[in-house]
PDB file of all heavy atoms in Angstrom:
ATOM      1  N   SER Q 225     -77.351 140.849 -19.524  1.00  0.00           N
ATOM      2  CA  SER Q 225     -75.968 140.835 -19.043  1.00  0.00           C
ATOM      3  C   SER Q 225     -75.677 139.639 -18.148  1.00  0.00           C
ATOM      4  O   SER Q 225     -74.761 139.678 -17.336  1.00  0.00           O
ATOM      5  CB  SER Q 225     -75.660 142.135 -18.286  1.00  0.00           C
ATOM      6  OG  SER Q 225     -75.724 143.223 -19.167  1.00  0.00           O
ATOM      7  N   SER Q 226     -76.438 138.581 -18.308  1.00  0.00           N
ATOM      8  CA  SER Q 226     -76.226 137.393 -17.474  1.00  0.00           C
ATOM      9  C   SER Q 226     -74.986 136.627 -17.924  1.00  0.00           C
ATOM     10  O   SER Q 226     -74.962 136.022 -18.999  1.00  0.00           O
ATOM     11  CB  SER Q 226     -77.454 136.472 -17.548  1.00  0.00           C
ATOM     12  OG  SER Q 226     -77.172 135.245 -16.917  1.00  0.00           O
ATOM     13  N   LEU Q 227     -73.968 136.664 -17.099  1.00  0.00           N
ATOM     14  CA  LEU Q 227     -72.738 135.921 -17.365  1.00  0.00           C
ATOM     15  C   LEU Q 227     -73.043 134.437 -17.538  1.00  0.00           C
ATOM     16  O   LEU Q 227     -72.577 133.790 -18.483  1.00  0.00           O
ATOM     17  CB  LEU Q 227     -71.758 136.125 -16.205  1.00  0.00           C
ATOM     18  CG  LEU Q 227     -70.565 135.178 -16.116  1.00  0.00           C
ATOM     19  CD1 LEU Q 227     -69.650 135.367 -17.309  1.00  0.00           C
ATOM     20  CD2 LEU Q 227     -69.825 135.383 -14.819  1.00  0.00           C
ATOM     21  N   GLN Q 228     -73.856 133.882 -16.632  1.00  0.00           N
ATOM     22  CA  GLN Q 228     -74.159 132.456 -16.657  1.00  0.00           C
ATOM     23  C   GLN Q 228     -74.890 132.059 -17.942  1.00  0.00           C
ATOM     24  O   GLN Q 228     -74.608 131.003 -18.517  1.00  0.00           O
ATOM     25  CB  GLN Q 228     -75.004 132.064 -15.439  1.00  0.00           C
ATOM     26  CG  GLN Q 228     -74.298 132.249 -14.123  1.00  0.00           C
ATOM     27  CD  GLN Q 228     -74.430 133.664 -13.561  1.00  0.00           C
ATOM     28  OE1 GLN Q 228     -74.928 134.583 -14.215  1.00  0.00           O
ATOM     29  NE2 GLN Q 228     -73.966 133.851 -12.349  1.00  0.00           N
ATOM     30  N   ALA Q 229     -75.814 132.891 -18.389  1.00  0.00           N
ATOM     31  CA  ALA Q 229     -76.571 132.570 -19.597  1.00  0.00           C
ATOM     32  C   ALA Q 229     -75.697 132.663 -20.848  1.00  0.00           C
ATOM     33  O   ALA Q 229     -75.785 131.810 -21.735  1.00  0.00           O
ATOM     34  CB  ALA Q 229     -77.795 133.474 -19.716  1.00  0.00           C
ATOM     35  N   HIS Q 230     -74.839 133.677 -20.927  1.00  0.00           N
ATOM     36  CA  HIS Q 230     -73.929 133.780 -22.077  1.00  0.00           C
ATOM     37  C   HIS Q 230     -72.978 132.586 -22.123  1.00  0.00           C
ATOM     38  O   HIS Q 230     -72.808 131.953 -23.171  1.00  0.00           O
ATOM     39  CB  HIS Q 230     -73.124 135.086 -22.025  1.00  0.00           C
ATOM     40  CG  HIS Q 230     -73.864 136.268 -22.522  1.00  0.00           C
ATOM     41  ND1 HIS Q 230     -74.612 137.072 -21.701  1.00  0.00           N
ATOM     42  CD2 HIS Q 230     -73.992 136.772 -23.768  1.00  0.00           C
ATOM     43  CE1 HIS Q 230     -75.156 138.035 -22.423  1.00  0.00           C
ATOM     44  NE2 HIS Q 230     -74.809 137.880 -23.683  1.00  0.00           N
ATOM     45  N   ALA Q 231     -72.350 132.289 -20.987  1.00  0.00           N
ATOM     46  CA  ALA Q 231     -71.398 131.182 -20.943  1.00  0.00           C
ATOM     47  C   ALA Q 231     -72.099 129.854 -21.215  1.00  0.00           C
ATOM     48  O   ALA Q 231     -71.596 129.019 -21.974  1.00  0.00           O
ATOM     49  CB  ALA Q 231     -70.684 131.148 -19.593  1.00  0.00           C
ATOM     50  N   GLY Q 232     -73.254 129.670 -20.610  1.00  0.00           N
ATOM     51  CA  GLY Q 232     -73.983 128.419 -20.798  1.00  0.00           C
ATOM     52  C   GLY Q 232     -74.417 128.206 -22.238  1.00  0.00           C
ATOM     53  O   GLY Q 232     -74.243 127.116 -22.800  1.00  0.00           O
ATOM     54  N   LEU Q 233     -74.987 129.244 -22.849  1.00  0.00           N
ATOM     55  CA  LEU Q 233     -75.408 129.124 -24.241  1.00  0.00           C
ATOM     56  C   LEU Q 233     -74.192 128.913 -25.145  1.00  0.00           C
ATOM     57  O   LEU Q 233     -74.240 128.133 -26.099  1.00  0.00           O
ATOM     58  CB  LEU Q 233     -76.214 130.352 -24.673  1.00  0.00           C
ATOM     59  CG  LEU Q 233     -76.853 130.284 -26.057  1.00  0.00           C
ATOM     60  CD1 LEU Q 233     -77.751 129.057 -26.213  1.00  0.00           C
ATOM     61  CD2 LEU Q 233     -77.649 131.574 -26.323  1.00  0.00           C
ATOM     62  N   GLY Q 234     -73.087 129.555 -24.804  1.00  0.00           N
ATOM     63  CA  GLY Q 234     -71.851 129.334 -25.553  1.00  0.00           C
ATOM     64  C   GLY Q 234     -71.415 127.876 -25.488  1.00  0.00           C
ATOM     65  O   GLY Q 234     -71.009 127.289 -26.499  1.00  0.00           O
ATOM     66  N   MET Q 235     -71.537 127.274 -24.321  1.00  0.00           N
ATOM     67  CA  MET Q 235     -71.165 125.864 -24.178  1.00  0.00           C
ATOM     68  C   MET Q 235     -72.127 124.945 -24.937  1.00  0.00           C
ATOM     69  O   MET Q 235     -71.709 123.921 -25.473  1.00  0.00           O
ATOM     70  CB  MET Q 235     -71.088 125.481 -22.699  1.00  0.00           C
ATOM     71  CG  MET Q 235     -69.957 126.191 -21.940  1.00  0.00           C
ATOM     72  SD  MET Q 235     -68.316 125.984 -22.678  1.00  0.00           S
ATOM     73  CE  MET Q 235     -68.023 124.251 -22.330  1.00  0.00           C
ATOM     74  N   VAL Q 236     -73.402 125.321 -24.999  1.00  0.00           N
ATOM     75  CA  VAL Q 236     -74.361 124.553 -25.798  1.00  0.00           C
ATOM     76  C   VAL Q 236     -73.925 124.587 -27.260  1.00  0.00           C
ATOM     77  O   VAL Q 236     -73.850 123.545 -27.930  1.00  0.00           O
ATOM     78  CB  VAL Q 236     -75.802 125.086 -25.644  1.00  0.00           C
ATOM     79  CG1 VAL Q 236     -76.728 124.498 -26.705  1.00  0.00           C
ATOM     80  CG2 VAL Q 236     -76.346 124.810 -24.250  1.00  0.00           C
ATOM     81  N   TYR Q 237     -73.635 125.789 -27.777  1.00  0.00           N
ATOM     82  CA  TYR Q 237     -73.208 125.905 -29.171  1.00  0.00           C
ATOM     83  C   TYR Q 237     -71.924 125.116 -29.421  1.00  0.00           C
ATOM     84  O   TYR Q 237     -71.747 124.520 -30.477  1.00  0.00           O
ATOM     85  CB  TYR Q 237     -73.018 127.367 -29.569  1.00  0.00           C
ATOM     86  CG  TYR Q 237     -74.301 128.113 -29.791  1.00  0.00           C
ATOM     87  CD1 TYR Q 237     -74.444 129.433 -29.377  1.00  0.00           C
ATOM     88  CD2 TYR Q 237     -75.392 127.527 -30.427  1.00  0.00           C
ATOM     89  CE1 TYR Q 237     -75.624 130.139 -29.589  1.00  0.00           C
ATOM     90  CE2 TYR Q 237     -76.568 128.213 -30.639  1.00  0.00           C
ATOM     91  CZ  TYR Q 237     -76.684 129.522 -30.219  1.00  0.00           C
ATOM     92  OH  TYR Q 237     -77.848 130.203 -30.431  1.00  0.00           O
ATOM     93  N   LEU Q 238     -71.050 125.122 -28.441  1.00  0.00           N
ATOM     94  CA  LEU Q 238     -69.808 124.362 -28.575  1.00  0.00           C
ATOM     95  C   LEU Q 238     -70.109 122.872 -28.714  1.00  0.00           C
ATOM     96  O   LEU Q 238     -69.537 122.195 -29.582  1.00  0.00           O
ATOM     97  CB  LEU Q 238     -68.931 124.618 -27.346  1.00  0.00           C
ATOM     98  CG  LEU Q 238     -67.481 124.247 -27.441  1.00  0.00           C
ATOM     99  CD1 LEU Q 238     -66.799 124.992 -28.580  1.00  0.00           C
ATOM    100  CD2 LEU Q 238     -66.787 124.560 -26.126  1.00  0.00           C
ATOM    101  N   GLN Q 239     -71.023 122.355 -27.914  1.00  0.00           N
ATOM    102  CA  GLN Q 239     -71.412 120.946 -28.005  1.00  0.00           C
ATOM    103  C   GLN Q 239     -72.057 120.627 -29.345  1.00  0.00           C
ATOM    104  O   GLN Q 239     -71.937 119.516 -29.847  1.00  0.00           O
ATOM    105  CB  GLN Q 239     -72.369 120.578 -26.866  1.00  0.00           C
ATOM    106  CG  GLN Q 239     -71.723 120.504 -25.517  1.00  0.00           C
ATOM    107  CD  GLN Q 239     -70.645 119.440 -25.455  1.00  0.00           C
ATOM    108  OE1 GLN Q 239     -70.793 118.332 -25.960  1.00  0.00           O
ATOM    109  NE2 GLN Q 239     -69.526 119.792 -24.854  1.00  0.00           N
ATOM    110  N   GLU Q 240     -72.743 121.612 -29.911  1.00  0.00           N
ATOM    111  CA  GLU Q 240     -73.419 121.410 -31.195  1.00  0.00           C
ATOM    112  C   GLU Q 240     -72.495 121.645 -32.382  1.00  0.00           C
ATOM    113  O   GLU Q 240     -72.908 121.479 -33.528  1.00  0.00           O
ATOM    114  CB  GLU Q 240     -74.646 122.327 -31.269  1.00  0.00           C
ATOM    115  CG  GLU Q 240     -75.724 121.948 -30.255  1.00  0.00           C
ATOM    116  CD  GLU Q 240     -76.904 122.900 -30.235  1.00  0.00           C
ATOM    117  OE1 GLU Q 240     -76.761 124.059 -30.700  1.00  0.00           O
ATOM    118  OE2 GLU Q 240     -77.968 122.482 -29.754  1.00  0.00           O
ATOM    119  N   GLY Q 241     -71.258 122.075 -32.124  1.00  0.00           N
ATOM    120  CA  GLY Q 241     -70.297 122.279 -33.200  1.00  0.00           C
ATOM    121  C   GLY Q 241     -70.358 123.636 -33.872  1.00  0.00           C
ATOM    122  O   GLY Q 241     -69.712 123.855 -34.888  1.00  0.00           O
ATOM    123  N   ASP Q 242     -71.138 124.569 -33.318  1.00  0.00           N
ATOM    124  CA  ASP Q 242     -71.225 125.922 -33.872  1.00  0.00           C
ATOM    125  C   ASP Q 242     -70.175 126.782 -33.163  1.00  0.00           C
ATOM    126  O   ASP Q 242     -70.470 127.536 -32.241  1.00  0.00           O
ATOM    127  CB  ASP Q 242     -72.637 126.489 -33.660  1.00  0.00           C
ATOM    128  CG  ASP Q 242     -72.828 127.864 -34.276  1.00  0.00           C
ATOM    129  OD1 ASP Q 242     -71.835 128.479 -34.731  1.00  0.00           O
ATOM    130  OD2 ASP Q 242     -73.983 128.344 -34.285  1.00  0.00           O
ATOM    131  N   TYR Q 243     -68.922 126.618 -33.593  1.00  0.00           N
ATOM    132  CA  TYR Q 243     -67.796 127.249 -32.905  1.00  0.00           C
ATOM    133  C   TYR Q 243     -67.824 128.767 -32.953  1.00  0.00           C
ATOM    134  O   TYR Q 243     -67.496 129.427 -31.962  1.00  0.00           O
ATOM    135  CB  TYR Q 243     -66.477 126.721 -33.466  1.00  0.00           C
ATOM    136  CG  TYR Q 243     -66.337 125.228 -33.334  1.00  0.00           C
ATOM    137  CD1 TYR Q 243     -65.906 124.454 -34.408  1.00  0.00           C
ATOM    138  CD2 TYR Q 243     -66.649 124.577 -32.147  1.00  0.00           C
ATOM    139  CE1 TYR Q 243     -65.779 123.074 -34.295  1.00  0.00           C
ATOM    140  CE2 TYR Q 243     -66.534 123.204 -32.022  1.00  0.00           C
ATOM    141  CZ  TYR Q 243     -66.098 122.456 -33.102  1.00  0.00           C
ATOM    142  OH  TYR Q 243     -65.989 121.099 -32.977  1.00  0.00           O
ATOM    143  N   ALA Q 244     -68.222 129.339 -34.072  1.00  0.00           N
ATOM    144  CA  ALA Q 244     -68.251 130.804 -34.187  1.00  0.00           C
ATOM    145  C   ALA Q 244     -69.227 131.400 -33.173  1.00  0.00           C
ATOM    146  O   ALA Q 244     -68.898 132.365 -32.474  1.00  0.00           O
ATOM    147  CB  ALA Q 244     -68.622 131.225 -35.606  1.00  0.00           C
ATOM    148  N   SER Q 245     -70.428 130.835 -33.083  1.00  0.00           N
ATOM    149  CA  SER Q 245     -71.412 131.338 -32.121  1.00  0.00           C
ATOM    150  C   SER Q 245     -70.942 131.100 -30.695  1.00  0.00           C
ATOM    151  O   SER Q 245     -71.122 131.947 -29.822  1.00  0.00           O
ATOM    152  CB  SER Q 245     -72.774 130.670 -32.332  1.00  0.00           C
ATOM    153  OG  SER Q 245     -73.298 131.021 -33.586  1.00  0.00           O
ATOM    154  N   ALA Q 246     -70.329 129.937 -30.459  1.00  0.00           N
ATOM    155  CA  ALA Q 246     -69.826 129.621 -29.122  1.00  0.00           C
ATOM    156  C   ALA Q 246     -68.770 130.640 -28.703  1.00  0.00           C
ATOM    157  O   ALA Q 246     -68.833 131.191 -27.595  1.00  0.00           O
ATOM    158  CB  ALA Q 246     -69.242 128.215 -29.096  1.00  0.00           C
ATOM    159  N   ILE Q 247     -67.819 130.905 -29.574  1.00  0.00           N
ATOM    160  CA  ILE Q 247     -66.741 131.850 -29.246  1.00  0.00           C
ATOM    161  C   ILE Q 247     -67.316 133.242 -29.004  1.00  0.00           C
ATOM    162  O   ILE Q 247     -66.931 133.921 -28.047  1.00  0.00           O
ATOM    163  CB  ILE Q 247     -65.650 131.839 -30.335  1.00  0.00           C
ATOM    164  CG1 ILE Q 247     -64.879 130.519 -30.255  1.00  0.00           C
ATOM    165  CG2 ILE Q 247     -64.719 133.042 -30.197  1.00  0.00           C
ATOM    166  CD1 ILE Q 247     -63.931 130.274 -31.412  1.00  0.00           C
ATOM    167  N   SER Q 248     -68.239 133.660 -29.825  1.00  0.00           N
ATOM    168  CA  SER Q 248     -68.852 134.978 -29.651  1.00  0.00           C
ATOM    169  C   SER Q 248     -69.511 135.108 -28.277  1.00  0.00           C
ATOM    170  O   SER Q 248     -69.321 136.098 -27.572  1.00  0.00           O
ATOM    171  CB  SER Q 248     -69.879 135.222 -30.762  1.00  0.00           C
ATOM    172  OG  SER Q 248     -70.544 136.434 -30.560  1.00  0.00           O
ATOM    173  N   LEU Q 249     -70.281 134.100 -27.897  1.00  0.00           N
ATOM    174  CA  LEU Q 249     -70.957 134.141 -26.591  1.00  0.00           C
ATOM    175  C   LEU Q 249     -69.963 134.044 -25.436  1.00  0.00           C
ATOM    176  O   LEU Q 249     -70.121 134.704 -24.405  1.00  0.00           O
ATOM    177  CB  LEU Q 249     -72.001 133.036 -26.493  1.00  0.00           C
ATOM    178  CG  LEU Q 249     -73.290 133.350 -27.239  1.00  0.00           C
ATOM    179  CD1 LEU Q 249     -74.077 132.083 -27.528  1.00  0.00           C
ATOM    180  CD2 LEU Q 249     -74.129 134.338 -26.450  1.00  0.00           C
ATOM    181  N   LEU Q 250     -68.947 133.215 -25.594  1.00  0.00           N
ATOM    182  CA  LEU Q 250     -67.954 133.070 -24.533  1.00  0.00           C
ATOM    183  C   LEU Q 250     -67.101 134.331 -24.392  1.00  0.00           C
ATOM    184  O   LEU Q 250     -66.684 134.685 -23.285  1.00  0.00           O
ATOM    185  CB  LEU Q 250     -67.106 131.822 -24.758  1.00  0.00           C
ATOM    186  CG  LEU Q 250     -67.887 130.507 -24.613  1.00  0.00           C
ATOM    187  CD1 LEU Q 250     -67.063 129.330 -25.115  1.00  0.00           C
ATOM    188  CD2 LEU Q 250     -68.337 130.295 -23.175  1.00  0.00           C
ATOM    189  N   GLU Q 251     -66.860 135.019 -25.506  1.00  0.00           N
ATOM    190  CA  GLU Q 251     -66.166 136.319 -25.423  1.00  0.00           C
ATOM    191  C   GLU Q 251     -67.037 137.321 -24.678  1.00  0.00           C
ATOM    192  O   GLU Q 251     -66.539 138.102 -23.860  1.00  0.00           O
ATOM    193  CB  GLU Q 251     -65.836 136.840 -26.827  1.00  0.00           C
ATOM    194  CG  GLU Q 251     -64.699 136.111 -27.481  1.00  0.00           C
ATOM    195  CD  GLU Q 251     -64.498 136.512 -28.935  1.00  0.00           C
ATOM    196  OE1 GLU Q 251     -65.452 136.983 -29.601  1.00  0.00           O
ATOM    197  OE2 GLU Q 251     -63.366 136.327 -29.413  1.00  0.00           O
ATOM    198  N   ARG Q 252     -68.327 137.312 -24.960  1.00  0.00           N
ATOM    199  CA  ARG Q 252     -69.255 138.212 -24.254  1.00  0.00           C
ATOM    200  C   ARG Q 252     -69.263 137.874 -22.771  1.00  0.00           C
ATOM    201  O   ARG Q 252     -69.216 138.772 -21.930  1.00  0.00           O
ATOM    202  CB  ARG Q 252     -70.660 138.097 -24.850  1.00  0.00           C
ATOM    203  CG  ARG Q 252     -71.697 138.905 -24.132  1.00  0.00           C
ATOM    204  CD  ARG Q 252     -71.487 140.403 -24.307  1.00  0.00           C
ATOM    205  NE  ARG Q 252     -72.575 141.101 -23.643  1.00  0.00           N
ATOM    206  CZ  ARG Q 252     -72.417 142.096 -22.785  1.00  0.00           C
ATOM    207  NH1 ARG Q 252     -71.217 142.572 -22.524  1.00  0.00           N
ATOM    208  NH2 ARG Q 252     -73.448 142.652 -22.215  1.00  0.00           N
TER     209      ARG Q 252
END
């Protein structure tokens, strides 16, 4: 339930162009 880890990993995916995974993690 780490907010920082979900948001951070979402931002990594965003930088890598994996928008679906990024949005999923950022929604979480």
